[in-house]
Amino acid sequence: MKKVVFILTFCLIFSGLYAQQSSLNIDKVKFFEDDSPLDVTLSMDIGKMLKTKTNPVYIPATFTCKMNDSLVSEEIRIIARGNVRREICYLPPIKLNFHNSTSPTFYPLNSLKLVCPCKSGNDYDQLILKEFLAYKIYNLLTPKSYRVRLLRINYEDAGNKRKTISQHAFLIEDAKAMAKRNSCSELKKVKVKSLYTDREQMTLVALFQYMIGNTDWGVSGNHNTSLIRSAADSSELPYVVPYDFDYCGLVNAVYAVPGEGLGVDEVTQRLYRGYPRSLEELKDALNIFNQQKEKIYYMINGFVALNSRARADVIYYLDEFYKTINNPVEVNHIFVVGAKTVSN
């Protein structure tokens, strides 16, 4: 009888723990649909991260945040990533690997890119918030875009040798999850010219890059762009999905410089890098931008994490874009007559 009671008690406890854990399991789609900032502590050996950022290797870390009114703290692995920012920034962008037996709650998130300020200080914090907004603006234009989740993050030194760094940062949706959400599959290590991608989507991408003043991208070299294709029909042309906007004029990072050979003196100077489109094609695409203008401005003005001066700068920069796209002469001059003819 005692044995039966023991077994029943054990089963009840185990099932209770399992139910509690199951309730905390993260839905990776809903995780990025949530607009509320996450308060996170990332505990790691900061000294080791700094030493390995030029030759990245995985190091252990502890990821702690509040989920569903429960404080969750789990062991994960992290690694420095990126190119320019990894070399010039104090803390580089980081990839968080949740795909471990030690992180069952966050396990469904797989591996996510963490984008953090290049250096400490409010000015750099504001830059990361503007880059976050660039992603959110593109989300309003098309679902074929990377979703992002804002964090208020504390970088805690596991050895207590360095001061805790408190900043904003954001997580970027995994490419596979983004593709699946759009009934597509990710195309890895596939290189195609933009001429051989979905024309309507490519038009939207090129116009958006012009909108935010970004020239730091290219399709044929997979430079800050991903490719996805319909999972149901592999004969369809792939869709281009842009990311990494820290070099754009909307952000205007202190370390950003224009690409060589583009004839651009400053990153805030816009340059259309798409192919010529007919006025009818442009009308359809630009209608999307005009239809979403009110939502875009509302989102920016309500984004209180960004200070009032930075919000005003963003609005002013977008005002110039909207003035341009609603001037027929400028539209023809920039996107038809002045469009490039060299492959990108």
Side-chain angles (χ1 to χ4, degrees):
M1 183 65 180
K2 289 182 179 179
K3 186 176 181 180
V4 173
V5 172
F6 173 79
I7 293 173
L8 287 173
T9 302
F10 176 81
C11 289
L12 285 171
I13 293 173
F14 180 80
S15 61
L17 290 173
Y18 178 79
Q20 181 184 28
Q21 184 64 59
S22 296
S23 67
L24 293 175
N25 281 345
I26 292 176
D27 183 305
K28 57 187 176 182
V29 175
K30 291 181 179 178
F31 179 82
F32 283 100
E33 288 177 344
D34 193 335
D35 285 329
S36 60
L38 270 181
D39 290 309
V40 169
T41 295
L42 185 65
S43 179
M44 58 180 168
D45 186 333
I46 294 178
K48 189 171 185 179
M49 170 56 69
L50 297 178
K51 288 179 182 178
T52 62
K53 68 179 183 179
T54 54
N55 188 23
V57 294
Y58 274 103
I59 64 173
T62 303
F63 187 87
T64 304
C65 75
K66 195 173 185 180
M67 298 294 299
N68 301 331
D69 297 322
S70 297
L71 190 65
V72 183
S73 185
E74 295 182 342
E75 300 299 315
I76 65 170
R77 296 185 302 141
I78 64 174
I79 189 171
R81 64 171 192 85
N83 295 314
V84 175
R85 278 190 273 195
R86 180 160 54 84
E87 296 179 359
I88 68 173
C89 297
Y90 175 69
L91 271 182
I94 298 170
K95 177 172 281 189
L96 308 179
N97 190 331
F98 299 105
H99 214 61
N100 313 285
S101 60
T102 55
S103 51
T105 301
F106 301 110
Y107 190 89
L109 296 177
N110 200 1
S111 291
L112 296 180
K113 295 176 180 177
L114 176 72
V115 184
C116 50
C118 187
K119 296 180 181 179
S120 61
N122 185 62
D123 289 345
Y124 283 95
D125 203 52
Q126 293 296 299
L127 293 178
I128 211 72
L129 292 170
K130 287 197 283 187
E131 186 179 359
F132 171 81
L133 268 182
Y135 282 90
K136 298 295 284 185
I137 290 170
Y138 195 55
N139 291 158
L140 291 174
L141 299 175
T142 172
K144 293 182 177 67
S145 57
Y146 283 102
R147 289 175 175 170
V148 287
R149 183 74 182 270
L150 187 65
L151 307 181
R152 291 186 291 252
I153 189 168
N154 296 315
Y155 300 96
E156 185 178 85
D157 187 36
N160 295 318
K161 296 179 181 179
R162 300 171 187 265
K163 291 183 179 179
T164 296
I165 303 170
S166 299
Q167 299 175 321
H168 283 95
F170 61 88
L171 293 170
I172 304 178
E173 183 180 26
D174 175 69
K176 186 177 180 180
M178 178 274 295
K180 185 177 181 181
R181 176 167 53 79
N182 287 284
S183 301
C184 291
S185 56
E186 179 190 8
L187 295 180
K188 295 182 178 180
K189 299 179 180 179
V190 174
K191 293 186 177 183
V192 297
K193 295 180 179 180
S194 58
L195 281 172
Y196 306 110
T197 64
D198 183 88
R199 188 177 177 92
E200 184 176 330
Q201 190 70 19
M202 188 63 243
T203 303
L204 193 69
V205 170
L207 289 172
F208 170 71
Q209 301 283 27
Y210 180 83
M211 177 194 202
I212 65 172
N214 190 30
T215 59
D216 187 31
W217 63 282
V219 177
S220 59
N222 298 142
H223 181 51
N224 294 334
T225 57
S226 299
L227 293 173
I228 60 175
R229 185 166 57 196
S230 169
D233 186 357
S234 60
S235 66
E236 289 188 6
L237 294 175
Y239 302 99
V240 176
V241 185
Y243 62 89
D244 202 351
F245 308 124
D246 67 314
Y247 265 52
C248 76
L250 185 80
V251 173
N252 195 18
V254 293
Y255 56 81
V257 293
E260 295 182 3
L262 295 177
V264 176
D265 298 322
E266 299 177 350
V267 293
T268 52
Q269 183 180 342
R270 288 185 170 94
L271 174 69
Y272 179 65
R273 299 193 64 215
Y275 282 100
R277 292 294 191 254
S278 69
L279 291 176
E280 191 64 31
E281 287 178 298
L282 290 168
K283 179 182 176 181
D284 290 341
L286 293 175
N287 275 343
I288 297 174
F289 289 87
N290 282 320
Q291 289 165 3
Q292 295 301 316
K293 180 182 178 181
E294 186 176 344
K295 288 183 179 179
I296 291 170
Y297 278 51
Y298 180 81
M299 177 181 66
I300 295 167
N301 286 317
F303 190 46
V304 294
L306 197 64
N307 65 41
S308 57
R309 180 178 177 179
R311 290 200 303 273
D313 288 342
V314 170
I315 292 295
Y316 178 80
Y317 195 73
L318 294 182
D319 281 345
E320 292 180 323
F321 168 76
Y322 276 102
K323 183 179 179 180
T324 296
I325 68 169
N326 287 289
N327 182 326
V329 174
E330 287 291 287
V331 168
N332 184 64
H333 174 69
I334 296 171
F335 307 120
V336 181
V337 178
K340 71 187 189 69
T341 56
V342 180
S343 176
N344 178 31

